Amino acid sequence: MLADAAGIARVHVDSWRTTYANIIPDDYMKARSYESREQLWIEVIPRNIVIVAENEEGNIVGFSDGGEERSGKYPQYDGQLNAIYLLKAYQGQGLGKRLVQSVVHEMKQLGMNSMLVHVLEANPSRLFYEGLGGKLIDSFEAEFAGEKLTELVLGWDDIDSIQ
């Protein structure tokens, strides 16, 4: 729902700041604002599968976003997990796995059977994806504020394998 855009934007920015500290240059991180991310999510929500996780008070504490594979470089994969972010205080409680499973469920409803995700090699969250069965299918250099970082592409040939 579009009403979730502001809450998703807050989680997006705050999670980036904790997840990518000491990985992505500070200049790149500082350029991310709640307002710019909210505008992004207002555009993304109607086009993609967006799932939110809320705490007991009804505040958004995490989200996942998926849809069709975006690059066209991996024709054997029809779906893509575009983003999954949780506030640090809510990590390690199973919410991330449930967010992925919810996107996968919706992908299956749309006839998608395989999926990939992009993750920075230095991001410890890559272990999360590997734990869900994601296999390395590619890697490439991505630039963030003038710094080159290695981005990995992990894939699932059969999203039914994600339990």
Side-chain angles (χ1 to χ4, degrees):
M1 290 180 43
L2 288 179
D4 292 333
I8 292 170
R10 288 201 168 281
V11 170
H12 198 179
V13 170
D14 292 348
S15 294
W16 263 68
R17 290 179 180 157
T18 57
T19 301
Y20 299 118
N22 303 315
I23 297 174
I24 293 178
D26 287 341
D27 291 346
Y28 189 88
M29 301 289 278
K30 289 177 185 171
R32 304 291 167 259
S33 69
Y34 296 137
E35 295 78 16
S36 68
R37 294 285 104 175
E38 183 175 358
Q39 279 308 122
L40 169 87
W41 287 104
I42 287 170
E43 294 172 22
V44 169
I45 289 170
R47 297 191 319 253
N48 288 5
I49 300 164
V50 179
I51 309 290
V52 299
E54 297 179 341
N55 64 11
E56 300 77 31
E57 292 80 36
N59 298 314
I60 295 174
V61 299
F63 70 92
S64 56
D65 163 37
E68 293 181 2
E69 194 280 320
R70 300 188 291 193
S71 73
K73 291 172 36 178
Y74 310 99
Q76 67 275 34
Y77 296 92
D78 45 19
Q80 181 166 333
L81 181 63
N82 301 320
I84 175 169
Y85 290 103
L86 283 166
L87 295 176
K88 192 166 185 69
Y90 293 88
Q91 293 175 7
Q93 301 174 21
L95 284 176
K97 185 175 181 179
R98 290 201 305 265
L99 285 168
V100 171
Q101 289 169 330
S102 295
V103 166
V104 164
H105 174 77
E106 295 299 319
M107 285 180 173
K108 287 167 44 175
Q109 299 299 311
L110 296 171
M112 297 177 206
N113 298 303
S114 58
M115 177 179 82
L116 57 77
V117 66
H118 293 246
V119 61
L120 290 174
E121 183 176 44
N123 182 348
S125 297
R126 76 181 258 211
L127 300 174
F128 168 76
Y129 300 120
E130 291 169 356
L132 290 175
K135 304 289 184 220
L136 180 65
I137 59 171
D138 197 8
S139 67
F140 59 91
E141 295 277 308
E143 191 170 311
F144 293 87
E147 187 171 325
K148 291 187 192 249
L149 301 172
T150 301
E151 194 162 330
L152 305 176
V153 182
L154 303 175
W156 292 262
D157 294 332
D158 180 3
I159 56 177
D160 283 330
S161 69
I162 301 172
Q163 300 294 329

